Amino acid sequence: TNQVEKAKRTLHLLDDISNVVCTVIDAAELCRSTHATPQWRNGASDAFGILSEYIGSLNADDRLYRSLRRFVFNDEDKDSTTTHGSSEIIAQLSPEYQ
């Protein structure tokens, strides 16, 4: 159905956002830990703090959690609504929202 496709699309977009934010935060962590220049370390530390706060706000967002749960626990023929890739994404994201 159209609603199932929207849910899948949203789930994949959340996964894409998560991957991008994690890539940036990992680079900021590396920079703040190893860069020779104090200005770069300070800037990376600021970026790390901003992104950590952003991730925390997403993890605490009840609307995202309810949407994810609605998709995960949809009892209507899960085999046809949840692909293997979606199941893996759900497994990774679900603990972040709980």
Side-chain angles (χ1 to χ4, degrees):
T1 69
N2 191 28
Q3 192 168 15
V4 171
E5 290 305 315
K6 279 184 170 180
K8 286 181 185 179
R9 176 86 174 122
T10 300
L11 181 61
H12 286 282
L13 288 172
L14 283 172
D15 187 49
D16 291 345
I17 291 168
S18 176
N19 289 335
V20 169
V21 170
C22 286
T23 299
V24 174
I25 204 166
D26 288 347
E29 172 64 12
L30 177 65
C31 185
R32 80 181 188 151
S33 300
T34 64
H35 203 281
T37 308
Q39 292 88 348
W40 278 81
R41 288 194 309 269
N42 291 338
S45 185
D46 290 345
F48 183 88
I50 290 167
L51 287 171
S52 293
E53 189 175 311
Y54 177 66
I55 290 169
S57 71
L58 290 177
N59 288 345
D61 190 318
D62 193 51
R63 293 171 301 168
L64 289 175
Y65 178 69
R66 285 194 316 264
S67 294
L68 179 60
R69 283 190 55 87
R70 201 169 27 248
F71 181 66
V72 172
F73 295 109
N74 179 3
D75 290 333
E76 299 174 9
D77 191 13
K78 281 193 182 222
D79 292 336
S80 67
T81 61
T82 307
T83 64
H84 177 68
S86 296
S87 297
E88 288 179 7
I89 296 167
I90 290 165
Q92 292 171 7
L93 290 178
S94 292
E96 293 177 14
Y97 288 105
Q98 294 179 5

